[in-house]
Amino acid sequence: MRVLVTGGAGYIGSVCVDELMRAGHEVVVFDNLSEGHRAAIHSDARLIVGDLGDLEGLHRVFAEVKPQAVIHFAANALVGESMANPGKYYRNNVGGGLNLLEAMVAAGVSKIVFSSTCAVYGIPDTLPITEELPFRPANVYGETKLTFERMLRWYRQIHGISFVAFRYFNAAGAIDLFGEHHRIETHLIPNVLKVALGQAKQCEIFGGDYPTPDGTCVRDYIHVSDLAAAHVSALNPDVSGYYNLGTGHGFSVREVIAACEKVTGAKIPSVLKPRRAGDPPSLVADPAKARRDLGWQAHFTRIEDIVQTAWDWHRQHPTGYSD
Ligand code: UDP
């Protein structure tokens, strides 16, 4: 298929583009490079630099590329930032997403795979999290992703657009060539690995008084290559709906730090900081629906194995991509 991948120069997008190319698809990446990197794009994929805020530009891209499907990664995705600057999240995640849907309708493109998030569930009453739990986003990031999911439902009903919304848990790890490089890094694993690389003296633990076994937040870390594989299978026309993508296992911040120490062989000092706004205590997926309907299952389930792939990439790219 010819697939337009928005945000294909970003962390998860770049790994998915690689997987799509391996599966024989033709890929055009649409990215404004605000978070993405040219060097993160597979050498055989085409890049169009553009912004989802530019509806006319999007119409031109669809007319020229004539994609058969869209995979939509492009978004702002930081919980903390969304609580300080909600306008950015509504503008890019909701407004930009709306433009994308309008351009799809105008061009007659009827399939979209969307990067959603477990943040749509907020602080769940029960764990693990199934797709049936109520939506109660605890931060603006999750709210904007939920808003786009709701838009998808109406565009399906009114315009016949078929969609798959993947609610990711915590994307982590790397593949040989492509890994995690945010210009301002806020994520746990890369920040902890910076200490092992000698780029930081200590890592920070945001909150030690959560109602979890060791008081630090628990997350379900899912390897990017497992996420990418789910996206490729979602291009099948028979697949639609909402799916959690996680391993079903949770690890606390302290357990992640311990795994990083084990993998790197370095002592990683940490300092306890106040809680970060909008962080739920525990988020762990029930991935049974994806297994049942898509035959999808995470291959990486041990946190050490996930951290090892991240460590391999960061050691090869100690300052990330060149751009
Ligand atoms: N976290 C932390 N120190 C850091 C970065 C993150 O303690 O330097 C915590 C954060 O509060 C959350 C978990 O680690 O509980 C995962 O955060 P991350 O930003 O990696 O992903 P998120 O869960 O926000 O998508």
Side-chain angles (χ1 to χ4, degrees):
M1 283 175 97
R2 188 162 45 253
V3 187
L4 185 74
V5 181
T6 76
Y11 169 40
I12 307 170
S14 66
V15 176
C16 185
V17 168
D18 186 81
E19 186 85 12
L20 288 164
M21 303 295 295
R22 283 171 201 276
H25 296 288
E26 182 184 338
V27 177
V28 178
V29 170
F30 182 83
D31 200 300
N32 68 6
L33 299 178
S34 64
E35 299 290 341
H37 309 268
R38 280 178 200 274
I41 299 171
H42 189 290
S43 51
D44 294 332
R46 176 179 168 202
L47 168 66
I48 297 178
V49 178
D51 195 285
L52 292 176
D54 173 14
L55 180 57
E56 291 313 311
L58 269 178
H59 282 313
R60 284 194 298 274
V61 167
F62 274 84
E64 191 211 325
V65 173
K66 298 188 174 55
Q68 292 153 295
V70 171
I71 303 184
H72 177 35
F73 293 102
N76 296 115
L78 301 180
V79 167
E81 183 188 51
S82 81
M83 298 302 282
N85 189 357
K88 178 174 176 182
Y89 281 70
Y90 279 99
R91 189 177 311 109
N92 294 338
N93 295 2
V94 178
L98 173 62
N99 283 345
L100 182 65
L101 288 176
E102 287 292 292
M104 286 178 64
V105 170
V109 180
S110 60
K111 174 87 187 204
I112 181 168
V113 183
F114 171 55
S115 303
S116 191
T117 169
C118 62
V120 299
Y121 301 111
I123 300 174
D125 290 333
T126 54
L127 289 172
I129 297 172
T130 65
E131 288 82 356
E132 281 69 45
L133 286 194
F135 301 125
R136 287 188 305 231
N139 51 61
V140 174
Y141 164 62
E143 181 72 39
T144 58
K145 288 283 182 174
L146 177 60
T147 302
F148 189 76
E149 279 196 8
R150 291 191 158 132
M151 286 159 60
L152 285 174
R153 200 159 54 83
W154 292 111
Y155 274 70
R156 175 173 67 190
Q157 182 175 321
I158 297 162
H159 292 296
I161 287 184
S162 162
F163 68 84
V164 180
F166 283 133
R167 297 178 184 143
Y168 309 157
F169 284 65
N170 284 60
I175 59 174
D176 275 1
L177 289 179
F178 305 118
E180 186 166 14
H181 172 192
H182 298 105
R183 290 187 179 83
I184 297 175
E185 191 53 80
T186 63
H187 293 97
L188 180 63
I189 292 174
N191 274 336
V192 175
L193 293 179
K194 275 190 182 152
V195 183
L197 283 169
Q199 297 172 356
K201 282 202 171 55
Q202 59 196 18
C203 65
E204 299 178 331
I205 297 175
F206 299 140
D209 58 350
Y210 283 98
T212 60
D214 69 12
T216 66
C217 285
V218 170
R219 295 288 181 272
D220 182 336
Y221 294 88
I222 174 79
H223 197 271
V224 271
S225 67
D226 283 324
L227 292 180
H231 288 74
V232 175
S233 64
L235 291 176
N236 181 331
D238 297 336
V239 175
S240 70
Y242 309 89
Y243 294 96
N244 290 340
L245 295 183
T247 64
H249 306 285
F251 297 95
S252 73
V253 173
R254 287 194 193 282
E255 286 173 327
V256 170
I257 296 170
C260 291
E261 287 191 318
K262 195 167 158 202
V263 166
T264 64
K267 175 90 196 99
I268 301 179
S270 59
V271 53
L272 195 57
K273 294 278 181 177
R275 291 181 177 197
R276 197 173 64 175
D279 265 345
S282 283
L283 295 170
V284 179
D286 181 342
K289 188 179 178 213
R291 187 160 58 235
R292 195 182 62 230
D293 291 6
L294 313 179
W296 176 89
Q297 189 168 348
H299 288 106
F300 285 87
T301 51
R302 295 180 61 237
I303 190 68
E304 289 84 5
D305 294 343
I306 294 175
V307 167
Q308 181 70 56
T309 66
W311 178 235
D312 291 343
W313 191 83
H314 285 290
R315 260 194 311 186
Q316 291 286 320
H317 305 79
T319 53
Y321 292 113
S322 52
D323 64 319

